[in-house]
Amino acid sequence: MAEENKNLRTPIVCVMGHVDHGKTTLLDQIRGTAIVKGEAGAITQHIGATEVPIDVIVEKCGDKRLADKFIVPGLLFIDTPGHHAFTTLRSRGGSLADLAIVVVDINEGFKPQTIESLNILKRFKTPFIVVTNKIDRILNWKSHPGESFLSTYKKQTPEVQGIFEQKFYDVIGHLYEQGFSADRFDRVTDFQKTLGVVPISGLTGEGIPDVLMVLLGLAQRFLESSLHYDVNGPGVGTVLEVKEEKGLGTTVDVILYDGSLQKGDTIVIGCLGEPIVTKVRALLKPRELSEIRYESKFQPIPKVTAAAGVKISAPDIGDALAGAPVIQATPETLDEVIEKVKSEIDDVQIQTDTD
Ligand code: GDP
């Protein structure tokens, strides 16, 4: 690993697509991937997001040589799917998500929210992949849980492969209609020109190793410059949710995408009026399942480094706004940070629906 690349942060990934096409199931499958490894103690639990570390991805893909090929530490999936989450969660005027997955049910094809998702990603210029989900529902498909797509595909009969091809190329056709040149991920030579499409089953996990691998490849190719960050720089993040918690009062769940944050730090949070200036009383992460005997679901941590999902407990944060910026300040930078938060808040859309 090259010295200058050591501080690339984890890319943030958002899942989008039409209702019932399998966004939640895909995220559950990915979370399962992460938790299996967690039993060996390697996973970090996050608030509002799931991190899949690079070693888990490499293990899933069964090729250890890949570990040296990738210079990002893993992938951080936002647990809330949908384009509402994508557009509400802003960072520096763009989307908080560095990458996206558009889920299309291979048996249903394109639907209105599929097209909406594609249009949003075009507008934000976010690199993304499409997954054609529910391949296990293709007539007579034999599932091979957790295997790569090509591995399971080769084990299907020619008839089943034929049905698959027809449905798959229908989706590719729809993508052309929307202005995208697209092809099956393993046939794409230049992801800048051609959109990669990965056939999967969120239910059986078929194709999931490919999804993780293609996302890493995209991050590596298109995001390297935007993933550089300063581990010791001021913490910068976006409010995911404002939540009342028993025993803690109002808390904000934050996705930190730059720098780091410590207990006691001064932070500025965006709201509809003057930005909130407050001090971090506690930084909290979910407790491991094995520690369930504790009364609180959360465990205090002294420090958090991007990219990460964390719950912040602090006084006077009731007016904080989902999608608003959170920036750490020092006495020297406070005025400047307040101005910055004020100017960024103009971009924030207030959360009004529930997808
Ligand atoms: P969302 O609305 O996009 O989040 O969709 P869900 O993940 O809630 O899935 C909608 C329904 O489709 C649920 O009943 C899932 O169990 C089912 N489903 C999702 N993915 C798959 C899949 O890959 N195969 C099959 N057979 N069913 C799936």
Side-chain angles (χ1 to χ4, degrees):
M1 194 185 282
E3 192 64 28
E4 70 269 21
N5 287 328
K6 272 196 170 159
N7 287 341
L8 287 190
R9 69 163 169 81
T10 319
I12 299 166
V13 188
C14 194
V15 177
M16 299 161 84
H18 198 74
V19 64
D20 281 347
H21 279 201
K23 299 178 292 294
T24 311
T25 307
L26 171 61
L27 280 164
D28 285 348
Q29 182 67 240
I30 288 168
R31 206 169 297 129
T33 303
I35 287 166
V36 169
K37 185 69 185 183
E39 286 165 4
I43 186 159
T44 325
Q45 302 272 355
H46 290 260
I47 294 280
T50 300
E51 182 179 356
V52 187
I54 187 82
D55 58 337
V56 175
I57 299 175
V58 166
E59 202 174 283
K60 270 245 146 198
C61 298
D63 186 349
K64 296 260 188 288
R65 287 169 304 173
L66 293 169
D68 297 328
K69 203 173 137 205
F70 293 111
I71 51 175
V72 293
L75 296 165
L76 188 75
F77 291 86
I78 302 279
D79 287 342
T80 324
H83 48 255
H84 181 69
F86 182 91
T87 49
T88 308
L89 297 175
R90 300 293 187 94
S91 70
R92 304 183 194 105
S95 172
L96 179 70
D98 301 298
L99 297 169
I101 303 176
V102 177
V103 182
V104 184
D105 181 335
I106 193 165
N107 303 293
E108 285 217 342
F110 267 45
K111 291 280 173 188
Q113 285 168 295
T114 319
I115 297 170
E116 267 173 50
S117 304
L118 294 172
N119 286 337
I120 290 166
L121 292 168
K122 238 191 261 180
R123 180 150 55 86
F124 279 88
K125 298 191 171 65
T126 307
F128 68 99
I129 62 166
V130 170
V131 297
T132 54
N133 191 30
K134 309 196 189 183
I135 56 170
D136 63 289
R137 280 220 183 135
I138 289 169
L139 189 66
N140 294 329
W141 182 275
K142 275 187 92 85
S143 286
H144 301 89
E147 288 191 10
S148 75
F149 168 73
L150 287 178
S151 161
T152 183
Y153 178 77
K154 282 181 194 145
K155 295 173 189 165
Q156 309 299 325
T157 63
E159 290 73 29
V160 171
Q161 288 180 349
I163 302 171
F164 164 81
E165 293 294 334
Q166 200 175 348
K167 287 174 186 281
F168 185 78
Y169 280 95
D170 267 359
V171 174
I172 299 287
H174 281 300
L175 286 166
Y176 269 104
E177 281 166 22
Q178 296 301 316
F180 294 99
S181 156
D183 209 342
R184 211 172 75 190
F185 69 103
D186 55 299
R187 297 182 180 136
V188 175
T189 47
D190 184 348
F191 282 90
Q192 199 140 28
K193 292 204 184 107
T194 310
L195 184 60
V197 185
V198 187
I200 67 158
S201 164
L203 211 60
T204 67
E206 289 163 286
I208 301 298
D210 309 299
V211 168
L212 299 173
M213 194 50 71
V214 176
L215 286 173
L216 279 184
L218 283 189
Q220 189 100 339
R221 268 204 81 162
F222 301 122
L223 301 175
E224 223 189 294
S225 58
S226 57
L227 294 177
H228 280 286
Y229 79 118
D230 181 2
V231 189
N232 300 310
V236 185
T238 302
V239 177
L240 196 63
E241 215 177 327
V242 184
K243 254 185 175 168
E244 286 296 319
E245 296 288 356
K246 216 175 107 200
L248 293 169
T250 310
T251 64
V252 284
D253 292 354
V254 168
I255 301 288
L256 198 76
Y257 62 83
D258 199 359
S260 58
L261 203 57
Q262 295 190 50
K263 186 181 167 180
D265 279 348
T266 297
I267 49 171
V268 181
I269 310 178
C271 62
L272 285 178
E274 277 295 299
I276 300 161
V277 179
T278 186
K279 260 195 166 57
V280 176
R281 191 192 284 144
L283 294 169
L284 301 145
K285 68 170 202 167
R287 238 179 236 293
E288 307 282 341
L289 285 177
S290 58
E291 298 177 311
I292 211 111
R293 64 185 182 279
Y294 287 93
E295 195 141 308
S296 168
K297 288 186 292 188
F298 306 107
Q299 180 183 0
I301 45 172
K303 183 176 177 177
V304 65
T305 301
V310 67
K311 185 181 278 298
I312 299 177
S313 160
D316 308 320
I317 54 175
D319 291 335
L321 208 57
V326 181
I327 308 180
Q328 188 209 333
T330 60
E332 295 75 41
T333 63
L334 187 60
D335 290 344
E336 190 190 323
V337 169
I338 291 174
E339 281 313 308
K340 201 166 167 199
V341 168
K342 258 196 223 168
S343 72
E344 282 187 25
I345 205 81
D346 295 339
D347 276 351
V348 174
Q349 295 170 3
I350 301 166
Q351 208 158 334
T352 50
D353 55 63
T354 51
D355 70 342

PDB file of all heavy atoms in Angstrom, residues 6 10 23 27 69 72 128 133 138 194-195 230 235-236 250 254 260 300 307 330 352:
ATOM      1  N   LYS A   6      -2.575   6.083   2.369  1.00  0.00           N
ATOM      2  CA  LYS A   6      -3.031   5.432   3.601  1.00  0.00           C
ATOM      3  C   LYS A   6      -4.262   6.063   4.199  1.00  0.00           C
ATOM      4  O   LYS A   6      -5.014   5.398   4.878  1.00  0.00           O
ATOM      5  CB  LYS A   6      -1.887   5.425   4.617  1.00  0.00           C
ATOM      6  CG  LYS A   6      -1.038   4.195   4.444  1.00  0.00           C
ATOM      7  CD  LYS A   6      -0.173   3.964   5.627  1.00  0.00           C
ATOM      8  CE  LYS A   6       0.476   2.612   5.519  1.00  0.00           C
ATOM      9  NZ  LYS A   6       1.659   2.516   6.328  1.00  0.00           N
ATOM     10  N   THR A  10     -13.362   5.494   4.100  1.00  0.00           N
ATOM     11  CA  THR A  10     -14.313   4.515   3.575  1.00  0.00           C
ATOM     12  C   THR A  10     -15.360   5.222   2.710  1.00  0.00           C
ATOM     13  O   THR A  10     -15.985   6.170   3.174  1.00  0.00           O
ATOM     14  CB  THR A  10     -15.050   3.849   4.764  1.00  0.00           C
ATOM     15  OG1 THR A  10     -14.103   3.599   5.784  1.00  0.00           O
ATOM     16  CG2 THR A  10     -15.713   2.570   4.349  1.00  0.00           C
ATOM     17  N   LYS A  23     -34.474  -3.393  -1.891  1.00  0.00           N
ATOM     18  CA  LYS A  23     -33.417  -2.567  -1.283  1.00  0.00           C
ATOM     19  C   LYS A  23     -33.088  -3.030   0.138  1.00  0.00           C
ATOM     20  O   LYS A  23     -31.934  -3.209   0.498  1.00  0.00           O
ATOM     21  CB  LYS A  23     -33.852  -1.090  -1.235  1.00  0.00           C
ATOM     22  CG  LYS A  23     -34.112  -0.482  -2.592  1.00  0.00           C
ATOM     23  CD  LYS A  23     -34.573   0.962  -2.495  1.00  0.00           C
ATOM     24  CE  LYS A  23     -35.937   1.148  -1.881  1.00  0.00           C
ATOM     25  NZ  LYS A  23     -37.038   0.590  -2.683  1.00  0.00           N
ATOM     26  N   LEU A  27     -29.679  -4.769   1.711  1.00  0.00           N
ATOM     27  CA  LEU A  27     -28.932  -4.212   2.850  1.00  0.00           C
ATOM     28  C   LEU A  27     -28.821  -5.235   3.974  1.00  0.00           C
ATOM     29  O   LEU A  27     -27.775  -5.352   4.615  1.00  0.00           O
ATOM     30  CB  LEU A  27     -29.611  -2.927   3.348  1.00  0.00           C
ATOM     31  CG  LEU A  27     -29.288  -1.694   2.515  1.00  0.00           C
ATOM     32  CD1 LEU A  27     -30.282  -0.565   2.800  1.00  0.00           C
ATOM     33  CD2 LEU A  27     -27.868  -1.203   2.774  1.00  0.00           C
ATOM     34  N   LYS A  69      -4.674  -4.701  -3.970  1.00  0.00           N
ATOM     35  CA  LYS A  69      -5.135  -3.937  -5.121  1.00  0.00           C
ATOM     36  C   LYS A  69      -5.967  -2.726  -4.695  1.00  0.00           C
ATOM     37  O   LYS A  69      -5.976  -1.700  -5.354  1.00  0.00           O
ATOM     38  CB  LYS A  69      -5.989  -4.876  -5.992  1.00  0.00           C
ATOM     39  CG  LYS A  69      -6.094  -4.448  -7.428  1.00  0.00           C
ATOM     40  CD  LYS A  69      -6.802  -5.519  -8.236  1.00  0.00           C
ATOM     41  CE  LYS A  69      -7.784  -4.855  -9.181  1.00  0.00           C
ATOM     42  NZ  LYS A  69      -8.877  -5.717  -9.564  1.00  0.00           N
ATOM     43  N   VAL A  72      -8.931   1.521  -0.423  1.00  0.00           N
ATOM     44  CA  VAL A  72      -9.934   2.043   0.522  1.00  0.00           C
ATOM     45  C   VAL A  72     -10.112   1.003   1.632  1.00  0.00           C
ATOM     46  O   VAL A  72      -9.945  -0.184   1.404  1.00  0.00           O
ATOM     47  CB  VAL A  72     -11.294   2.350  -0.162  1.00  0.00           C
ATOM     48  CG1 VAL A  72     -11.162   3.503  -1.128  1.00  0.00           C
ATOM     49  CG2 VAL A  72     -11.879   1.132  -0.850  1.00  0.00           C
ATOM     50  N   PHE A 128     -22.346   4.926  -9.955  1.00  0.00           N
ATOM     51  CA  PHE A 128     -23.248   3.913  -9.400  1.00  0.00           C
ATOM     52  C   PHE A 128     -23.232   2.635 -10.230  1.00  0.00           C
ATOM     53  O   PHE A 128     -22.681   2.611 -11.335  1.00  0.00           O
ATOM     54  CB  PHE A 128     -24.685   4.458  -9.298  1.00  0.00           C
ATOM     55  CG  PHE A 128     -25.368   4.710 -10.619  1.00  0.00           C
ATOM     56  CD1 PHE A 128     -26.257   3.779 -11.141  1.00  0.00           C
ATOM     57  CD2 PHE A 128     -25.122   5.875 -11.335  1.00  0.00           C
ATOM     58  CE1 PHE A 128     -26.902   4.009 -12.355  1.00  0.00           C
ATOM     59  CE2 PHE A 128     -25.757   6.120 -12.554  1.00  0.00           C
ATOM     60  CZ  PHE A 128     -26.643   5.194 -13.059  1.00  0.00           C
ATOM     61  N   ASN A 133     -32.146  -7.658  -9.425  1.00  0.00           N
ATOM     62  CA  ASN A 133     -32.361  -8.476  -8.229  1.00  0.00           C
ATOM     63  C   ASN A 133     -33.381  -9.596  -8.479  1.00  0.00           C
ATOM     64  O   ASN A 133     -34.079  -9.600  -9.476  1.00  0.00           O
ATOM     65  CB  ASN A 133     -32.849  -7.545  -7.112  1.00  0.00           C
ATOM     66  CG  ASN A 133     -32.863  -8.215  -5.758  1.00  0.00           C
ATOM     67  OD1 ASN A 133     -32.052  -9.105  -5.490  1.00  0.00           O
ATOM     68  ND2 ASN A 133     -33.783  -7.806  -4.902  1.00  0.00           N
ATOM     69  N   ILE A 138     -36.317 -16.630 -11.089  1.00  0.00           N
ATOM     70  CA  ILE A 138     -36.421 -17.049 -12.491  1.00  0.00           C
ATOM     71  C   ILE A 138     -36.802 -18.531 -12.513  1.00  0.00           C
ATOM     72  O   ILE A 138     -36.267 -19.325 -11.724  1.00  0.00           O
ATOM     73  CB  ILE A 138     -35.081 -16.777 -13.228  1.00  0.00           C
ATOM     74  CG1 ILE A 138     -34.916 -15.258 -13.400  1.00  0.00           C
ATOM     75  CG2 ILE A 138     -35.003 -17.504 -14.570  1.00  0.00           C
ATOM     76  CD1 ILE A 138     -33.570 -14.816 -13.868  1.00  0.00           C
ATOM     77  N   THR A 194     -19.320   2.796 -19.659  1.00  0.00           N
ATOM     78  CA  THR A 194     -20.392   1.800 -19.610  1.00  0.00           C
ATOM     79  C   THR A 194     -20.782   1.520 -18.167  1.00  0.00           C
ATOM     80  O   THR A 194     -19.926   1.317 -17.299  1.00  0.00           O
ATOM     81  CB  THR A 194     -19.912   0.487 -20.280  1.00  0.00           C
ATOM     82  OG1 THR A 194     -19.352   0.822 -21.547  1.00  0.00           O
ATOM     83  CG2 THR A 194     -21.049  -0.491 -20.475  1.00  0.00           C
ATOM     84  N   LEU A 195     -22.084   1.516 -17.936  1.00  0.00           N
ATOM     85  CA  LEU A 195     -22.613   1.255 -16.608  1.00  0.00           C
ATOM     86  C   LEU A 195     -22.549  -0.259 -16.343  1.00  0.00           C
ATOM     87  O   LEU A 195     -23.006  -1.046 -17.169  1.00  0.00           O
ATOM     88  CB  LEU A 195     -24.064   1.747 -16.621  1.00  0.00           C
ATOM     89  CG  LEU A 195     -24.903   1.706 -15.373  1.00  0.00           C
ATOM     90  CD1 LEU A 195     -24.267   2.538 -14.280  1.00  0.00           C
ATOM     91  CD2 LEU A 195     -26.288   2.250 -15.714  1.00  0.00           C
ATOM     92  N   ASP A 230      -8.232  14.165   6.331  1.00  0.00           N
ATOM     93  CA  ASP A 230      -7.239  14.393   7.366  1.00  0.00           C
ATOM     94  C   ASP A 230      -7.739  13.763   8.672  1.00  0.00           C
ATOM     95  O   ASP A 230      -8.670  14.259   9.291  1.00  0.00           O
ATOM     96  CB  ASP A 230      -7.062  15.910   7.517  1.00  0.00           C
ATOM     97  CG  ASP A 230      -6.028  16.250   8.571  1.00  0.00           C
ATOM     98  OD1 ASP A 230      -5.438  15.316   9.152  1.00  0.00           O
ATOM     99  OD2 ASP A 230      -5.838  17.445   8.814  1.00  0.00           O
ATOM    100  N   GLY A 235     -13.765  17.332  12.690  1.00  0.00           N
ATOM    101  CA  GLY A 235     -14.820  16.415  12.270  1.00  0.00           C
ATOM    102  C   GLY A 235     -15.872  17.151  11.459  1.00  0.00           C
ATOM    103  O   GLY A 235     -16.293  18.251  11.829  1.00  0.00           O
ATOM    104  N   VAL A 236     -16.267  16.569  10.336  1.00  0.00           N
ATOM    105  CA  VAL A 236     -17.321  17.146   9.498  1.00  0.00           C
ATOM    106  C   VAL A 236     -18.303  16.037   9.160  1.00  0.00           C
ATOM    107  O   VAL A 236     -17.897  14.947   8.730  1.00  0.00           O
ATOM    108  CB  VAL A 236     -16.743  17.721   8.176  1.00  0.00           C
ATOM    109  CG1 VAL A 236     -17.848  18.418   7.376  1.00  0.00           C
ATOM    110  CG2 VAL A 236     -15.594  18.675   8.444  1.00  0.00           C
ATOM    111  N   THR A 250     -32.445  14.383  23.814  1.00  0.00           N
ATOM    112  CA  THR A 250     -32.355  14.464  22.361  1.00  0.00           C
ATOM    113  C   THR A 250     -30.924  14.148  21.922  1.00  0.00           C
ATOM    114  O   THR A 250     -29.960  14.640  22.503  1.00  0.00           O
ATOM    115  CB  THR A 250     -32.744  15.871  21.863  1.00  0.00           C
ATOM    116  OG1 THR A 250     -33.981  16.225  22.458  1.00  0.00           O
ATOM    117  CG2 THR A 250     -32.871  15.919  20.350  1.00  0.00           C
ATOM    118  N   VAL A 254     -25.307  10.946  13.327  1.00  0.00           N
ATOM    119  CA  VAL A 254     -24.509  11.696  12.354  1.00  0.00           C
ATOM    120  C   VAL A 254     -23.639  10.741  11.531  1.00  0.00           C
ATOM    121  O   VAL A 254     -23.100   9.770  12.068  1.00  0.00           O
ATOM    122  CB  VAL A 254     -23.598  12.705  13.104  1.00  0.00           C
ATOM    123  CG1 VAL A 254     -22.539  13.301  12.196  1.00  0.00           C
ATOM    124  CG2 VAL A 254     -24.433  13.807  13.737  1.00  0.00           C
ATOM    125  N   SER A 260     -12.013  13.901  12.522  1.00  0.00           N
ATOM    126  CA  SER A 260     -12.437  13.101  13.670  1.00  0.00           C
ATOM    127  C   SER A 260     -13.072  14.002  14.717  1.00  0.00           C
ATOM    128  O   SER A 260     -12.931  15.224  14.685  1.00  0.00           O
ATOM    129  CB  SER A 260     -11.256  12.317  14.235  1.00  0.00           C
ATOM    130  OG  SER A 260     -10.242  13.203  14.597  1.00  0.00           O
ATOM    131  N   PRO A 300     -20.495   4.299  25.076  1.00  0.00           N
ATOM    132  CA  PRO A 300     -19.750   5.529  24.825  1.00  0.00           C
ATOM    133  C   PRO A 300     -18.365   5.221  24.248  1.00  0.00           C
ATOM    134  O   PRO A 300     -17.731   4.244  24.648  1.00  0.00           O
ATOM    135  CB  PRO A 300     -19.610   6.176  26.206  1.00  0.00           C
ATOM    136  CG  PRO A 300     -20.209   5.236  27.179  1.00  0.00           C
ATOM    137  CD  PRO A 300     -20.637   3.985  26.491  1.00  0.00           C
ATOM    138  N   ALA A 307     -14.765   7.430   7.694  1.00  0.00           N
ATOM    139  CA  ALA A 307     -16.213   7.633   7.656  1.00  0.00           C
ATOM    140  C   ALA A 307     -16.860   6.726   8.693  1.00  0.00           C
ATOM    141  O   ALA A 307     -16.492   5.565   8.812  1.00  0.00           O
ATOM    142  CB  ALA A 307     -16.739   7.285   6.262  1.00  0.00           C
ATOM    143  N   THR A 330     -13.048  25.226  16.858  1.00  0.00           N
ATOM    144  CA  THR A 330     -12.197  25.631  17.983  1.00  0.00           C
ATOM    145  C   THR A 330     -12.528  27.103  18.254  1.00  0.00           C
ATOM    146  O   THR A 330     -13.190  27.733  17.420  1.00  0.00           O
ATOM    147  CB  THR A 330     -10.707  25.528  17.600  1.00  0.00           C
ATOM    148  OG1 THR A 330     -10.484  26.405  16.477  1.00  0.00           O
ATOM    149  CG2 THR A 330     -10.306  24.114  17.225  1.00  0.00           C
ATOM    150  N   THR A 352     -39.771  15.325   4.450  1.00  0.00           N
ATOM    151  CA  THR A 352     -41.226  15.335   4.529  1.00  0.00           C
ATOM    152  C   THR A 352     -41.872  13.994   4.222  1.00  0.00           C
ATOM    153  O   THR A 352     -43.001  13.744   4.596  1.00  0.00           O
ATOM    154  CB  THR A 352     -41.828  16.370   3.546  1.00  0.00           C
ATOM    155  OG1 THR A 352     -41.235  16.159   2.277  1.00  0.00           O
ATOM    156  CG2 THR A 352     -41.618  17.782   4.011  1.00  0.00           C
TER     157      THR A 352
END
